[in-house]
Amino acid sequence: MDGSVARPRPMLAIGLRLLTAVVFATMGMLVKLGGERGVHLVEMLFWRQIITFALITAGLVLFGKLATVRTKRIKSHASRAALGGFCMFFVYGAVLLLPLAEATTLSYTAPFFAVVIAVTMFGEKVGLYRSAAVLVGFCGVVIIMQPGNMGEDITLFGVCVALAAAAMVAMISFQIQDLNKTESPWSIIFWFTALSSPVFLIAMPFFASAHDTETWGIIVAMALSGALAQVLLTSSLRFGSAGVILLIDYTSLLWATWYGYSIFDRAPSTTLWLGAPLIIGAGLLIAWRERQLARAKAQPIAE
């Protein structure tokens, strides 16, 4: 399910993913702050992409590496940019619609969708362990949804947006791993931002508005954290398999919970504490089973 890795270095991949979790949680906090100050979702996406594009391009020019973004896989980059652009709408939308801890926890369903993608798109056979894990994980989602008791904080629409984001994150992980076989992380990010920024620019006149200095500071900090997170995420997938290093993302729940409590004065709900262990435990089961299957496939070669 994980596919091949360009340069296997598992400990480096884990370290990069730990940093990714911190930075993504920080970005989510800034997105929520920006939303509370009236910054439109389209504005956030535009500034996130255009600032990342400017930083990446400037760095490549400064170090004489601009030629490294030349590619023969522009169609693959365009596909990644299209899916990535839609994914960002849903990822940011989930943060705006749900409390940080709940939005983060629902993002952990990405490994479940990765299993579904492996079956439907790659024809992989899924046995009892992974099937059970997916079922248990989505039971955790149902608990967090608080069926029949949804209020202003937890809405069905918000949950659906978060689940759609997780599904697209799983698909993008496969795309990035495939691109990593021939492209550098800088090339992948360059083309992602270069191809998606013009689309958001076209939409900006319909959604942009004036902001005070503090709000602009939040926007810039959000964009910078998004750029850093993108570099860390892409690099982690270059050195480690998606099915394993996605587990490290669970640490972001600690940061999201802390941000939610300290900045937004929102303590996690009882249903989150009941549902999150099911989702995380199911994800761990999937990763363990992936590792067992990988070892079984490698065994005949070793002999």
Side-chain angles (χ1 to χ4, degrees), residues 111-170:
F112 312 151
F113 288 108
V115 171
V116 175
I117 292 170
V119 173
T120 57
M121 297 184 65
F122 301 112
E124 183 173 329
K125 294 182 180 179
V126 175
L128 179 61
Y129 285 101
R130 287 183 290 177
S131 298
V134 171
L135 180 60
V136 170
F138 281 110
C139 284
V141 172
V142 172
I143 292 174
I144 292 175
M145 286 173 62
Q146 307 177 62
N149 191 35
M150 289 191 176
E152 294 182 0
D153 286 342
I154 309 295
T155 65
L156 178 60
F157 180 65
V159 170
C160 289
V161 169
L163 292 177
M168 284 184 277
V169 166

Side-chain angles (χ1 to χ4, degrees), residues 85-123:
F86 278 112
C87 181
M88 289 171 62
F89 265 107
F90 286 88
V91 170
Y92 280 41
V95 170
L96 295 174
L97 293 169
L98 296 170
L100 273 179
E102 279 77 1
T104 301
T105 301
L106 291 174
S107 72
Y108 297 156
T109 58
F112 312 151
F113 288 108
V115 171
V116 175
I117 292 170
V119 173
T120 57
M121 297 184 65
F122 301 112

Side-chain angles (χ1 to χ4, degrees), residues 48 59-60 64 69 74 79 98 103 138 143 170 173 181 199 216 218 223 225 239 243 251 263 270 292 301 303:
R48 187 267 175 84
L60 290 170
V69 303
I74 193 65
S79 176
L98 296 170
F138 281 110
I143 292 174
S173 293
K181 296 174 184 177
V199 177
W216 275 114
I218 292 172
S225 62
F239 299 113
T251 60
I263 295 178
T270 302
Q292 294 294 108
I301 297 177
E303 296 176 352

Side-chain angles (χ1 to χ4, degrees), residues 160-279:
C160 289
V161 169
L163 292 177
M168 284 184 277
V169 166
M171 294 180 66
I172 289 170
S173 293
F174 286 100
Q175 286 184 321
I176 292 176
Q177 279 202 323
D178 178 60
L179 284 167
N180 267 326
K181 296 174 184 177
T182 59
E183 314 291 290
S184 71
W186 308 108
S187 176
I188 295 172
I189 299 169
F190 173 86
W191 286 111
F192 174 42
T193 54
L195 295 172
S196 60
S197 293
V199 177
F200 294 127
L201 176 61
I202 293 172
M204 275 291 282
F206 303 99
F207 300 101
S209 58
H211 304 295
D212 58 29
T213 303
E214 188 173 349
T215 302
W216 275 114
I218 292 172
I219 293 172
V220 172
M222 178 275 300
L224 290 175
S225 62
L228 177 59
Q230 191 68 51
V231 172
L232 291 170
L233 181 148
T234 304
S235 299
S236 71
L237 288 169
R238 186 174 183 82
F239 299 113
S241 63
V244 174
I245 63 176
L246 279 175
L247 301 176
I248 309 302
D249 290 350
Y250 296 144
T251 60
S252 63
L253 179 57
L254 301 175
W255 298 99
T257 300
W258 182 71
Y259 281 138
Y261 182 76
S262 62
I263 295 178
F264 302 102
D265 195 27
R266 209 284 186 180
S269 63
T270 302
T271 53
L272 176 69
W273 294 123
L274 294 173
L278 293 178
I279 293 175

Side-chain angles (χ1 to χ4, degrees), residues 13-78:
I14 289 172
L16 290 171
R17 203 68 178 201
L18 282 170
L19 289 175
T20 303
V22 177
V23 177
F24 263 127
T26 303
M27 184 189 71
M29 176 271 292
L30 293 168
V31 167
K32 204 163 188 68
L33 276 179
E36 291 186 350
R37 287 176 167 267
V39 184
H40 195 277
L41 176 59
V42 171
E43 285 186 89
M44 295 188 201
L45 296 178
F46 170 74
W47 290 113
R48 187 267 175 84
Q49 292 301 83
I50 199 66
I51 289 178
T52 302
F53 174 73
L55 291 173
I56 291 293
T57 304
L60 290 170
V61 171
L62 181 63
F63 292 101
K65 299 291 185 180
L66 189 60
T68 62
V69 303
R70 292 177 181 172
T71 182
K72 296 180 180 179
R73 303 187 62 187
I74 193 65
K75 290 184 179 179
S76 296
H77 283 290

